Amino acid sequence: MEKKRFKFVIPVMVIVAIGSVYMLRNYYAEVPDLNKLLITICATIVSGVLAYFLFPQQGENKIDDRGPY
């Protein structure tokens, strides 16, 4: 795993975790606490995985990435 990608992945995960806790506490008070915790954990993990694969690696110049010009 590259450390350069984690510069973007970790902040995304933190923002998603904070946002989900905020929204679940303020807008969905009727949801049980255990379900809120599970929703927050799953949302954080999914956002981290998506950010890891969607953010490009820096400094990687592959010939295969070029189009048929």
Side-chain angles (χ1 to χ4, degrees):
M1 298 213 182
E2 288 199 21
K3 292 183 181 180
K4 291 181 182 179
R5 279 189 176 180
F6 286 113
K7 287 192 313 188
F8 298 107
V9 172
I10 300 298
V12 166
M13 291 175 71
V14 169
I15 290 169
V16 168
I18 291 171
S20 68
V21 168
Y22 173 77
M23 289 181 68
L24 286 171
R25 287 190 187 212
N26 288 336
Y27 301 122
Y28 302 101
E30 65 275 359
V31 177
D33 289 334
L34 179 62
N35 291 348
K36 289 180 186 180
L37 178 66
L38 292 174
I39 290 170
T40 301
I41 290 171
C42 291
T44 304
I45 291 171
V46 168
S47 68
V49 169
L50 287 175
Y52 180 79
F53 287 112
L54 291 179
F55 280 123
Q57 289 179 322
Q58 295 177 357
E60 186 175 312
N61 295 327
K62 290 185 179 179
I63 295 175
D64 296 342
D65 290 342
R66 299 184 68 123
Y69 308 131

